Amino acid sequence: MMKRVNKIAIELPYPEHGDMNAAAAVQELMGGKFGEMSTLNNYMFQSFNFRGKKKLK
């Protein structure tokens, strides 16, 4: 079971000037091709669709 918390663990300081390149890098790490959510979804999809479970038990 997963627990969802809708609160940031730490207070983040507001930047004086935005950095578009840094924001794009963070977004890529979180949800991009090799991001955490993509990896989690791939793992769950593969484990739920495992074929031949009865034969290998």
Side-chain angles (χ1 to χ4, degrees):
M1 177 173 22
M2 292 186 196
K3 180 179 179 184
R4 180 179 174 153
V5 178
N6 289 327
K7 186 173 124 179
I8 297 178
I10 60 172
E11 291 294 324
L12 299 175
Y14 285 99
E16 293 178 12
H17 305 287
D19 185 355
M20 293 175 63
N21 291 331
V26 170
Q27 275 188 322
E28 177 65 27
L29 289 173
M30 290 180 67
K33 184 176 180 182
F34 301 108
E36 293 176 11
M37 292 304 296
S38 297
T39 303
L40 174 68
N41 288 334
N42 287 337
Y43 174 78
M44 289 180 68
F45 177 78
Q46 290 172 4
S47 65
F48 291 157
N49 289 321
F50 182 71
R51 307 229 189 278
K53 290 181 188 177
K54 290 181 183 177
K55 185 170 84 171
L56 295 174
K57 280 188 176 180

